[in-house]
Amino acid sequence: MDKLTFERENRERIQAVENSFVPAGTPLSIPGRVLMGEGRLMKQGRRKPEPKDFFLFSDVLVYGSVFLNGRWHRKQRVVPLEDIELEDMEDGEGMKNQWLMRTPRKSFYVSAPSVEEKRAWMEHIQDCQSNLMQGGSSQPGSTFAVTWIPDKAAYKCMRCLNKFTRTKRRHHCRKCGFLVCKACSKHRAVINHIHPTKRLRVCGLCYIRNEEDKQSHVRGDGTEKISSEEDNEAASSDEEEEEETKPSYTSMPDLSPQ
């Protein structure tokens, strides 16, 4: 009965998370998935840190923007756990208890209200990753997106060094993450680990390097194919701004040992 009760409660919790996203996002209720915990963290955006609600499942990490006092969420992002790499970071200006979360499509800094909650989040994610990898069906990712330089970190284009103004706006190169002006980011290029077909904004230097890499692949063995499933996935690089025992569920940030 305990197992049946847990499975029912788990389904209800997952359904509640799924229903909280408006408009409806990716369906989250799939067989075998367990909601391990949830909580609110600050995520560094391009302009300032913003609160995001994170939901840790046994196989994916889901997060979204807080809407209507946390009862609803927008801009759903679903990241497979095998595609996440964590790196502990020292406190920064305006972002204490932070760490870096790398994914193939977007890498970003997050911070917790306390150092204890930061450690608990990192440990829980890594424990879920470890359990997922033990099955042998998932392999850790090897290519990750760069982190974007925050808008306030540069008042000049990081390529031509001309000052940003109201008319000379800031743009991000998706390849290196630098802040560049429009003239220095007029090129577009496919960055496979972000999106297999979409051409994204890149600075002139990264464009040249990307073309050189393409030529190298042409001369070598560059015949890899991209699945239609990957081709249909939306790129998230334009955001402003995943022995039989009963798994324990934790409502983060209350992460006391089970």
Side-chain angles (χ1 to χ4, degrees):
M1 286 299 295
D2 287 344
K3 182 178 180 181
L4 292 175
T5 300
F6 173 81
E7 291 176 349
R8 176 179 55 80
E9 292 177 348
N10 178 63
R11 285 195 302 270
E12 292 174 352
R13 286 193 295 263
I14 294 178
Q15 192 63 57
V17 174
E18 183 176 313
N19 293 340
S20 73
F21 281 93
V22 289
T26 301
L28 301 175
S29 301
I30 65 172
R33 175 173 287 169
V34 178
L35 177 58
M36 307 300 291
E38 60 186 78
R40 185 163 298 175
L41 300 171
M42 297 299 293
K43 175 181 175 292
Q44 178 65 59
R46 61 176 297 175
R47 295 183 177 86
K48 62 181 180 179
E50 298 176 344
K52 303 282 184 180
D53 281 347
F54 284 75
F55 304 91
L56 177 60
F57 294 84
S58 52
D59 61 331
V60 295
L61 182 69
V62 178
Y63 66 93
S65 299
V66 179
F67 182 50
L68 290 180
N69 297 321
R71 291 182 58 190
W72 304 98
H73 304 93
R74 296 183 295 185
K75 298 181 180 179
Q76 183 198 63
R77 298 287 182 254
V78 181
V79 187
L81 289 185
E82 64 266 26
D83 287 345
I84 296 176
E85 181 180 78
L86 306 181
E87 181 179 347
D88 194 3
M89 305 294 294
E90 296 182 355
D91 289 351
E93 185 177 352
M95 288 278 284
K96 297 184 181 300
N97 312 310
Q98 66 174 338
W99 68 97
L100 175 60
M101 198 173 297
R102 293 191 181 93
T103 80
R105 296 173 181 269
K106 194 171 186 67
S107 298
F108 50 89
Y109 296 95
V110 291
S111 69
S114 68
V115 65
E116 291 80 13
E117 293 171 35
K118 165 188 171 178
R119 290 171 181 165
W121 267 102
M122 295 184 71
E123 289 173 2
H124 274 62
I125 293 173
Q126 290 168 339
D127 286 346
C128 289
Q129 285 180 318
S130 178
N131 292 335
L132 189 63
M133 301 302 175
Q134 285 178 2
S137 59
S138 301
Q139 297 297 323
S142 58
T143 305
F144 303 99
V146 298
T147 54
W148 287 6
I149 304 294
D151 283 7
K152 293 182 179 180
Y155 67 95
K156 293 181 179 180
C157 172
M158 301 176 76
R159 290 303 182 200
C160 69
L161 302 183
N162 287 328
K163 288 186 178 181
F164 293 120
T165 64
R166 289 187 177 181
T167 56
K168 187 181 285 291
R169 298 174 55 198
R170 293 168 170 81
H171 300 278
H172 278 96
C173 171
R174 270 56 171 177
K175 186 76 171 179
C176 65
F178 278 20
L179 280 164
V180 290
C181 66
K182 183 177 181 179
C184 290
S185 59
K186 59 185 179 181
H187 296 289
R188 300 293 184 272
V190 173
I191 306 173
N192 288 324
H193 60 85
I194 296 179
H195 195 276
T197 59
K198 187 176 181 180
R199 296 175 63 82
L200 305 173
R201 181 188 296 272
V202 294
C203 68
L205 180 58
C206 287
Y207 179 78
I208 293 173
R209 290 174 175 171
N210 197 64
E211 290 300 302
E212 291 174 347
D213 289 343
K214 285 168 59 177
Q215 291 301 318
S216 297
H217 278 293
V218 170
R219 291 191 296 267
D221 182 16
T223 58
E224 64 179 278
K225 297 180 180 179
I226 295 172
S227 69
S228 58
E229 181 179 350
E230 288 178 327
D231 188 52
N232 290 330
E233 290 180 358
S236 63
S237 62
D238 293 322
E239 176 192 354
E240 286 299 322
E241 13 159 296
E242 30 198 279
E243 182 182 313
E244 184 179 348
T245 57
K246 183 176 76 172
S248 62
Y249 168 79
T250 308
S251 180
M252 301 178 188
D254 181 13
L255 295 175
S256 55
Q258 300 300 306

